[in-house]
């Protein structure tokens, strides 16, 4: 976290970086942001002058050798207006309240709020939220891409379907297969809750459906009448989708666009964190370094953060040991170098990234027919010490938690948030936000419901909200992640500077940030336990 003297330290650093950019023809790779530790690899006339902190060596939109940057310190204008700041922060806000049934809300999920703030261009993060229409559970996902956004985009569209069909009974799957076979209306599987800016890969949607159908046909053949448990469904869905991504990149096709897209998806990568909530049953599946944290309030009103995931990276000693044990002793010193897988990749679990999964022979066979390899951005990063693949897996770690009345919310986010804020800070910020929101919402008297009374009440609420910046919890977290000082206070100059950085400098200081906050319905949870006690 940067101190109150941000304008002196941060802006000076930016100006120095800008001056370096100006000094000659140069390009640089994206780097991971760390608190008080920002490193950059510069290539000046082809000469590397400093090592870099990488997630994956080069962004797919690397700068051409023929393009030089023109930014100067004078070009950087940090004094954007508060209205502009809010517009940027709120552009991708999303909020959805679970509808009531029969005038009552017995669902344990009350609502969710989400937001994305990009640093990369295009943004490499993705998010998903959906309701399972056949099994009634709610799913939320955070997907953090690297080496491009292609893999994260694909996984965000597909993974929920793989989980949902895994949960379905054999009878339901047979109904879906019969309808598909006879070209009749198919039972809806998911109700998506999408933001207007979310999009899909329509060009290969039919390919996705074909592979999903093969999967549900195999599930039918398993003769499992009631479907998989949620733990098994998430475990197998992660791996099956990753396998399909790999297969799609290997299958020959005359459609050049489909071929290029499937290769981009397979050669880029994405970490994933997915939660499934059905009643009081909460399951979280995680592969990579996205994170899910539970906000818990005890009977004394004290808040605590309960992590439901662990990061799969070099800071997790059990992950380091797992990878070393999966390869010969001769590779013990090379499988993890400089806290990266084979010295390159920061997350130790991810979708895609076939450069760390396929044999060299398979890679050469698939790529020999590719005319334009530049978008794949692969040859210059061929891993050294590559002897016994696969080195990377999409197998998730799955956590089960039974919701209690003291469990108030779930925060899921990409590592862009967690690099800036600790678990407990995030829970505190959400708790304070919810407390302030309640103060802003005066109770409506049952006795006074005249039109004049309601009009005055609405005016009163509007006046109070004018001093409260965010109506979205995820936005509130993002604002604090990039704009707060060491005392936890929003520093407007810092916030403006972080949002004003040109795209070629932004990645030096922060990552893409994606946040989803799920609020639980305490009344519904308490009702569940009361009814079970009577039984």
């Amino acid at each position: 976290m940067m101190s109150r003297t941000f304008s002196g330290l941060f802006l000076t650093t930016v100006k120095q970086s800008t001056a370096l950019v100006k000094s000659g023809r140069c390009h640089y790779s994206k780097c991971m942001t760390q608190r008080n530790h920002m490193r950059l690899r510069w290539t000046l006339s082809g000469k590397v002058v400093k090592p870099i902190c990488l997630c994956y060596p080069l962004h797919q939109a690397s700068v051409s050798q023929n393009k030089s940057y023109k930014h100067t310190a004078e070009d950087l204008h940090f004094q954007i207006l508060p209205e502009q700041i809010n517009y940027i922060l709120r552009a991708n806000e999303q909020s959805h309240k679970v509808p009531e049934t029969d005038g009552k809300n017995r669902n344990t999920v009350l609502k969710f709020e989400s937001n994305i703030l990009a640093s990369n261009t295009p943004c490499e993060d993705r998010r998903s939220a959906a309701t399972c229409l056949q099994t009634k559970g709610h799913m939320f996902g955070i997907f953090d891409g690297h080496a491009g956004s292609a893999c994260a985009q694909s996984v965000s569209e597909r993974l929920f379907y793989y989980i949902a069909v895994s949960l379905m009974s054999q009878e339901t799957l047979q109904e879906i297969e019969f309808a598909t076979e006879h070209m009749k209306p198919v039972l809806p599987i998911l109700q998506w809750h999408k933001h207007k800016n979310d999009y899909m890969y329509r060009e290969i949607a039919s390919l996705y459906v074909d592979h999903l159908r093969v999967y549900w046909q195999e599930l039918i053949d398993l003769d499992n009448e009631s479907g998989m448990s949620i733990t098994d469904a998430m475990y197998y869905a992660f791996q099956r989708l990753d396998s399909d991504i790999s297969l799609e990149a290997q299958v020959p096709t005359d459609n050049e666009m489909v071929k290029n897209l499937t290769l981009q998806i397979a050669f880029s990568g994405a970490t994933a964190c997915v939660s499934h909530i059905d009643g009081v049953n909460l399951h979280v599946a995680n592969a990579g370094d996205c994170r899910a944290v539970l906000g818990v309030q005890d009977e004394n009103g004290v808040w605590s953060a309960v992590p439901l995931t662990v990061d799969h990276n070099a800071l997790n000693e059990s992950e380091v040991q797992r990878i070393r044990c999966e390869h010969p002793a001769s590779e013990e010193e090379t499988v993890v170098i400089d806290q990266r897988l084979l010295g390159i990749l920061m997350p130790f679990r991810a979708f895609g990234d076939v450069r760390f999964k396929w044999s060299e022979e398979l890679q050469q066979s698939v790529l020999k027919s590719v005319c334009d390899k530049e978008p794949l951005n692969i040859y210059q990063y061929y891993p050294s010490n590559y002897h016994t693949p696969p080195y990377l897996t999409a197998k998730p770690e799955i956590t089960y938690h039974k919701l209690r009345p003291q469990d108030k919310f779930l925060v899921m986010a990409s590592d862009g948030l967690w690099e800036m804020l600790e678990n407990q800070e995030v829970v505190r910020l959400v708790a304070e936000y919810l407390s302030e929101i309640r103060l802003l919402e005066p109770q409506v008297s049952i006795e006074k419901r005249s039109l004049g009374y309601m009009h005055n009440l609405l005016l009163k609420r509007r006046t109070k909200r004018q001093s409260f910046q965010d109506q979205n919890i995820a936005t509130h977290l993002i604002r604090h992640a990039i704009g707060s000082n060491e005392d936890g206070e929003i520093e407007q100059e810092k916030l403006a500077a972080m949002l004003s950085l040109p795209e070629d400098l932004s990645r030096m200081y922060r990552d893409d940030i994606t946040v989803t906050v799920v609020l639980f319905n305490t009344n519904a949870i308490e009702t569940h336990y009361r009814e079970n006690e009577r039984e």
Side-chain angles (χ1 to χ4, degrees), residues 144-169:
D144 188 350
H146 47 264
S149 61
C151 189
Q153 176 63 37
S154 181
V155 175
S156 72
E157 295 178 29
R158 306 174 69 183
L159 183 56
F160 285 9
Y161 281 110
Y162 280 70
I163 295 172
V165 299
S166 301
L167 292 171
M168 290 181 188
S169 67

Side-chain angles (χ1 to χ4, degrees), residues 75-200:
D75 290 333
L76 301 179
H77 303 289
F78 297 114
Q79 300 306 315
I80 60 176
L81 299 174
E83 293 81 3
Q84 294 172 304
I85 291 175
N86 290 334
Y87 178 82
I88 295 170
L89 290 177
R90 295 170 182 171
N92 296 303
E93 282 185 342
Q94 183 182 14
S95 181
H96 176 76
K97 185 173 183 179
V98 176
E100 298 179 349
T101 56
D102 300 327
K104 298 179 180 179
N105 189 352
R106 294 184 177 274
N107 202 302
T108 54
V109 174
L110 185 65
K111 67 183 297 186
F112 78 88
E113 295 185 347
S114 181
N115 202 353
I116 296 177
L117 180 67
S119 179
N120 292 295
T121 304
C123 180
E124 295 180 337
D125 280 8
R126 294 293 186 272
R127 61 182 170 188
S128 293
T131 302
C132 299
L133 295 176
Q134 305 304 320
T135 57
K136 306 307 180 186
H138 296 272
M139 285 194 285
F140 304 93
I142 301 291
F143 310 95
D144 188 350
H146 47 264
S149 61
C151 189
Q153 176 63 37
S154 181
V155 175
S156 72
E157 295 178 29
R158 306 174 69 183
L159 183 56
F160 285 9
Y161 281 110
Y162 280 70
I163 295 172
V165 299
S166 301
L167 292 171
M168 290 181 188
S169 67
Q170 187 178 31
E171 180 181 0
T172 302
L173 290 174
Q174 288 172 337
E175 291 178 15
I176 292 175
E177 173 59 22
F178 180 85
T180 304
E181 179 70 24
H182 294 83
M183 301 184 68
K184 295 185 175 183
V186 178
L187 287 174
I189 295 175
L190 296 173
Q191 178 186 355
W192 288 97
H193 309 298
K194 289 183 175 293
H195 186 270
K196 62 180 181 180
N197 292 341
D198 293 343
Y199 63 94
M200 301 185 72

Side-chain angles (χ1 to χ4, degrees), residues 287-312:
D289 50 11
C290 295
R291 196 179 298 177
V293 175
L294 197 65
V296 180
Q297 185 181 34
D298 67 19
E299 58 185 11
N300 296 318
V302 178
W303 288 92
S304 59
V306 178
L308 298 179
T309 60
V310 295
D311 297 343
H312 298 132

Side-chain angles (χ1 to χ4, degrees), residues 163-302:
I163 295 172
V165 299
S166 301
L167 292 171
M168 290 181 188
S169 67
Q170 187 178 31
E171 180 181 0
T172 302
L173 290 174
Q174 288 172 337
E175 291 178 15
I176 292 175
E177 173 59 22
F178 180 85
T180 304
E181 179 70 24
H182 294 83
M183 301 184 68
K184 295 185 175 183
V186 178
L187 287 174
I189 295 175
L190 296 173
Q191 178 186 355
W192 288 97
H193 309 298
K194 289 183 175 293
H195 186 270
K196 62 180 181 180
N197 292 341
D198 293 343
Y199 63 94
M200 301 185 72
Y201 279 148
R202 303 185 187 280
E203 303 87 348
I204 52 176
S206 61
L207 179 67
Y208 290 172
V209 173
D210 290 344
H211 276 203
L212 180 66
R213 184 182 180 188
V214 171
Y215 182 47
W216 80 52
Q217 288 172 339
E218 293 177 8
L219 293 174
I220 291 173
D221 292 339
L222 289 178
D223 199 26
N224 184 357
E225 290 188 7
S226 59
M228 293 184 185
S229 68
I230 180 58
T231 298
D232 288 343
M234 299 177 95
Y235 185 76
Y236 288 110
F238 268 63
Q239 295 175 83
R240 179 52 181 261
L241 175 55
D242 191 53
S243 176
D244 282 354
I245 287 172
S246 176
L247 178 62
E248 289 157 4
Q250 299 173 47
V251 176
T253 176
D254 294 331
N255 188 321
E256 197 67 24
M257 181 192 65
V258 171
K259 182 63 176 177
N260 288 339
L261 192 50
T262 55
L263 283 171
Q264 288 181 40
I265 292 168
F267 277 91
S268 60
T271 63
C273 183
V274 173
S275 64
H276 181 278
I277 306 170
D278 183 9
V280 296
N281 299 306
L282 166 61
H283 291 81
V284 179
N286 185 55
D289 50 11
C290 295
R291 196 179 298 177
V293 175
L294 197 65
V296 180
Q297 185 181 34
D298 67 19
E299 58 185 11
N300 296 318
V302 178

Side-chain angles (χ1 to χ4, degrees), residues 330-337 340-343 384-385 387:
S330 59
E331 296 186 60
E332 183 175 355
E333 299 300 321
T334 60
V335 70
V336 177
I337 301 175
R340 289 164 182 77
L341 185 64
L342 297 178
S384 57
N385 303 302
H387 307 298

